[in-house]
Amino acid sequence: MVWTQPERKKIRVAGLITKCLLLPVIVMILLIHRMALIVDVILFPHLKNVEINKPLFIVGLPRSGTTTVHRLMASHSEQFTSMPLWELIFAPALCQKYLCWAGYKIDAALGGPIWKLFGWLQDHLISSFDDIHPTRLTDPEEDYLGLLPFDGCFLRFLMFPYAKSTWAIGDFSSLPSAGRQRLLTAYRSIVKRHLAFRGEELRLLSKNPSFTTWVCDLADEFPDADFIGTHRDLASVVPSQLSSINGGLQLFGHTSKDPWVIRQFSGLLIDYKERLAAYQDSLGTRYADVDFD
């Protein structure tokens, strides 16, 4: 993907206010997560011995059926395990997972008032992201969200769409090797915590369209990993993706109708399409191709 410098953009006042209000809260939450991950190292020294065996990564173009493939396969819970949204948002650290689970058990014993409140909140807040794909706290979700505390999640695009560093995350292979290894190590640590909580005998099932540019590095980091790549006609993918993210961009005073955003996303998704075709040759039997149609 070729980066082009955007023209100076005006941000809407409402979006600027939202950003100023939410950014400190988000940063505080992410710092808490980083501290909890450090606490894990002290409380759970066995984490370094957790094995990640034959992970399966679903990558591909956004809006090309990745969620459908993921949830169909994740339904085989006796074989696969995927990170649910609640773990990724509230409990990337193992100590946080145990605290949340204990809180859930106590709340259930009292009739579930807190869980009912969460149900109401997700119906009124998380449902606003249903244009991207319907999701709830217990649904399997894209585990690149676990990289938010490490500033390695492309979701930052919604808040900072014009930052060059944002698009560098979108094109993982453009990062320096040290930066790539830092995020791979962080991702491995998040996966180990999930398996320690869910069961080390299970096989990780990961779905992230943003990992399409990570595939070569993931194949090296996890030599026994397999991959599924979904694809679709770009003429359908690009407008569908831009439409789905417009609500999130507008929240922070931006729009997906900006010609610069359209050009950048088109270039990124064209790159995804070319990489998917190349992976069929380079990965051989480790890669399965899935056409949206």
Short mmCIF file of all heavy atoms in Angstrom, two decimals, residues 17 35 43 55 66-67 70-71 74-75 80 87 115 140 155 168 173 198 230 241 270 287 290:
data_model
loop_
_atom_site.label_atom_id
_atom_site.label_comp_id
_atom_site.label_asym_id
_atom_site.label_seq_id
_atom_site.Cartn_x
_atom_site.Cartn_y
_atom_site.Cartn_z
N ILE A 17 -14.92 17.01 20.74
CA ILE A 17 -15.34 16.87 22.14
C ILE A 17 -15.38 15.39 22.54
O ILE A 17 -14.89 15.01 23.61
CB ILE A 17 -16.73 17.52 22.35
CG1 ILE A 17 -16.62 19.04 22.17
CG2 ILE A 17 -17.27 17.19 23.74
CD1 ILE A 17 -17.97 19.75 22.20
N MET A 35 -0.77 -3.03 33.32
CA MET A 35 -0.35 -3.35 34.69
C MET A 35 -0.81 -4.75 35.08
O MET A 35 -0.06 -5.50 35.72
CB MET A 35 -0.93 -2.31 35.65
CG MET A 35 -0.33 -0.92 35.51
SD MET A 35 -1.16 0.31 36.55
CE MET A 35 -0.83 -0.37 38.17
N LEU A 43 2.05 -13.64 39.36
CA LEU A 43 1.09 -14.59 39.93
C LEU A 43 1.06 -15.93 39.21
O LEU A 43 0.76 -16.96 39.83
CB LEU A 43 -0.31 -13.98 39.91
CG LEU A 43 -0.55 -12.74 40.77
CD1 LEU A 43 -2.01 -12.28 40.64
CD2 LEU A 43 -0.22 -13.03 42.23
N PRO A 55 -2.44 -23.36 15.85
CA PRO A 55 -3.46 -22.31 15.76
C PRO A 55 -3.97 -22.18 14.33
O PRO A 55 -3.24 -22.47 13.37
CB PRO A 55 -2.70 -21.04 16.18
CG PRO A 55 -1.26 -21.34 15.87
CD PRO A 55 -1.09 -22.81 16.14
N THR A 66 -15.68 -13.55 6.61
CA THR A 66 -14.78 -14.02 7.67
C THR A 66 -15.54 -14.31 8.96
O THR A 66 -15.25 -15.29 9.65
CB THR A 66 -13.67 -12.98 7.94
OG1 THR A 66 -14.27 -11.71 8.21
CG2 THR A 66 -12.72 -12.86 6.77
N THR A 67 -16.52 -13.45 9.30
CA THR A 67 -17.27 -13.65 10.54
C THR A 67 -18.11 -14.91 10.47
O THR A 67 -18.19 -15.68 11.44
CB THR A 67 -18.18 -12.43 10.81
OG1 THR A 67 -17.37 -11.27 10.96
CG2 THR A 67 -18.99 -12.64 12.09
N HIS A 70 -15.84 -17.88 10.82
CA HIS A 70 -15.35 -17.93 12.20
C HIS A 70 -16.39 -18.52 13.14
O HIS A 70 -16.11 -19.43 13.92
CB HIS A 70 -14.97 -16.51 12.64
CG HIS A 70 -14.37 -16.43 14.00
ND1 HIS A 70 -14.53 -15.33 14.81
CD2 HIS A 70 -13.63 -17.31 14.73
CE1 HIS A 70 -13.89 -15.52 15.95
NE2 HIS A 70 -13.35 -16.72 15.94
N ARG A 71 -17.61 -18.01 13.07
CA ARG A 71 -18.62 -18.44 14.04
C ARG A 71 -19.12 -19.85 13.76
O ARG A 71 -19.46 -20.58 14.69
CB ARG A 71 -19.76 -17.43 14.06
CG ARG A 71 -19.25 -16.08 14.57
CD ARG A 71 -20.29 -15.14 15.02
NE ARG A 71 -19.67 -13.95 15.59
CZ ARG A 71 -20.31 -12.83 15.89
NH1 ARG A 71 -21.61 -12.76 15.66
NH2 ARG A 71 -19.67 -11.80 16.39
N ALA A 74 -16.23 -21.83 15.25
CA ALA A 74 -16.15 -21.64 16.70
C ALA A 74 -17.25 -22.39 17.43
O ALA A 74 -17.12 -22.69 18.62
CB ALA A 74 -16.23 -20.15 17.04
N SER A 75 -18.33 -22.73 16.72
CA SER A 75 -19.42 -23.49 17.35
C SER A 75 -18.96 -24.89 17.75
O SER A 75 -19.59 -25.54 18.58
CB SER A 75 -20.62 -23.58 16.41
OG SER A 75 -20.32 -24.34 15.25
N PHE A 80 -12.19 -26.11 19.13
CA PHE A 80 -11.63 -24.77 18.96
C PHE A 80 -11.97 -23.87 20.15
O PHE A 80 -12.98 -24.06 20.82
CB PHE A 80 -12.18 -24.11 17.69
CG PHE A 80 -11.79 -24.81 16.42
CD1 PHE A 80 -12.73 -25.49 15.66
CD2 PHE A 80 -10.47 -24.78 15.97
CE1 PHE A 80 -12.38 -26.13 14.48
CE2 PHE A 80 -10.10 -25.41 14.79
CZ PHE A 80 -11.06 -26.09 14.05
N GLU A 87 -13.58 -10.85 27.13
CA GLU A 87 -12.18 -11.06 27.49
C GLU A 87 -11.28 -9.99 26.88
O GLU A 87 -10.37 -9.48 27.53
CB GLU A 87 -11.70 -12.44 27.01
CG GLU A 87 -12.01 -13.58 27.94
CD GLU A 87 -11.29 -14.86 27.52
OE1 GLU A 87 -10.06 -14.81 27.30
OE2 GLU A 87 -11.96 -15.90 27.39
N TRP A 115 -25.33 -8.53 35.46
CA TRP A 115 -25.36 -9.10 34.11
C TRP A 115 -26.53 -8.55 33.31
O TRP A 115 -26.41 -8.30 32.10
CB TRP A 115 -25.42 -10.62 34.19
CG TRP A 115 -25.36 -11.27 32.83
CD1 TRP A 115 -26.33 -11.97 32.20
CD2 TRP A 115 -24.24 -11.27 31.94
NE1 TRP A 115 -25.90 -12.40 30.97
CE2 TRP A 115 -24.62 -11.99 30.79
CE3 TRP A 115 -22.95 -10.73 32.02
CZ2 TRP A 115 -23.76 -12.18 29.71
CZ3 TRP A 115 -22.10 -10.91 30.93
CH2 TRP A 115 -22.50 -11.64 29.80
N PRO A 140 -17.60 -14.83 20.03
CA PRO A 140 -16.19 -14.83 19.61
C PRO A 140 -15.91 -13.61 18.75
O PRO A 140 -16.71 -13.26 17.88
CB PRO A 140 -16.06 -16.14 18.81
CG PRO A 140 -17.46 -16.48 18.37
CD PRO A 140 -18.36 -15.96 19.45
N LEU A 155 -8.00 -0.72 14.83
CA LEU A 155 -9.23 -0.03 15.21
C LEU A 155 -8.96 1.44 15.55
O LEU A 155 -9.87 2.26 15.52
CB LEU A 155 -9.87 -0.72 16.41
CG LEU A 155 -11.31 -0.35 16.76
CD1 LEU A 155 -12.27 -0.75 15.63
CD2 LEU A 155 -11.74 -1.00 18.06
N ALA A 168 0.36 2.25 9.09
CA ALA A 168 1.47 1.31 9.23
C ALA A 168 1.00 0.04 9.93
O ALA A 168 1.46 -1.07 9.61
CB ALA A 168 2.62 1.95 10.00
N SER A 173 3.54 -5.53 7.34
CA SER A 173 4.86 -5.83 6.78
C SER A 173 5.68 -4.56 6.56
O SER A 173 6.89 -4.63 6.34
CB SER A 173 4.73 -6.58 5.45
OG SER A 173 3.96 -5.83 4.52
N ARG A 198 -8.94 -21.08 29.29
CA ARG A 198 -9.96 -21.89 28.61
C ARG A 198 -9.60 -23.37 28.52
O ARG A 198 -10.48 -24.23 28.51
CB ARG A 198 -10.20 -21.35 27.20
CG ARG A 198 -10.77 -19.96 27.15
CD ARG A 198 -12.23 -19.96 27.53
NE ARG A 198 -12.78 -18.61 27.58
CZ ARG A 198 -14.07 -18.33 27.73
NH1 ARG A 198 -14.93 -19.31 27.86
NH2 ARG A 198 -14.48 -17.08 27.79
N THR A 230 -10.46 -15.69 3.09
CA THR A 230 -11.71 -15.45 2.37
C THR A 230 -11.56 -14.24 1.47
O THR A 230 -10.85 -13.29 1.80
CB THR A 230 -12.89 -15.23 3.34
OG1 THR A 230 -12.71 -13.97 4.01
CG2 THR A 230 -12.97 -16.34 4.38
N GLN A 241 -17.34 -1.98 3.07
CA GLN A 241 -16.47 -1.69 4.21
C GLN A 241 -16.54 -0.21 4.59
O GLN A 241 -16.64 0.12 5.78
CB GLN A 241 -15.04 -2.09 3.87
CG GLN A 241 -14.02 -1.75 4.94
CD GLN A 241 -14.20 -2.56 6.22
OE1 GLN A 241 -15.11 -3.37 6.34
NE2 GLN A 241 -13.33 -2.32 7.19
N ILE A 270 -6.82 -3.62 -2.06
CA ILE A 270 -6.20 -4.20 -3.26
C ILE A 270 -4.96 -5.00 -2.85
O ILE A 270 -4.71 -6.11 -3.35
CB ILE A 270 -5.82 -3.09 -4.27
CG1 ILE A 270 -7.09 -2.53 -4.91
CG2 ILE A 270 -4.88 -3.62 -5.35
CD1 ILE A 270 -6.85 -1.29 -5.74
N TYR A 287 -2.73 -23.52 3.72
CA TYR A 287 -3.65 -22.43 3.41
C TYR A 287 -4.86 -22.96 2.64
O TYR A 287 -4.72 -23.72 1.68
CB TYR A 287 -2.93 -21.37 2.56
CG TYR A 287 -3.78 -20.18 2.17
CD1 TYR A 287 -3.92 -19.10 3.04
CD2 TYR A 287 -4.43 -20.14 0.95
CE1 TYR A 287 -4.69 -18.00 2.70
CE2 TYR A 287 -5.20 -19.04 0.59
CZ TYR A 287 -5.33 -17.98 1.46
OH TYR A 287 -6.11 -16.90 1.12
N VAL A 290 -11.16 -19.56 0.45
CA VAL A 290 -12.64 -19.59 0.52
C VAL A 290 -13.19 -18.39 -0.22
O VAL A 290 -12.91 -17.24 0.14
CB VAL A 290 -13.14 -19.57 1.98
CG1 VAL A 290 -14.67 -19.53 2.00
CG2 VAL A 290 -12.63 -20.78 2.74
#
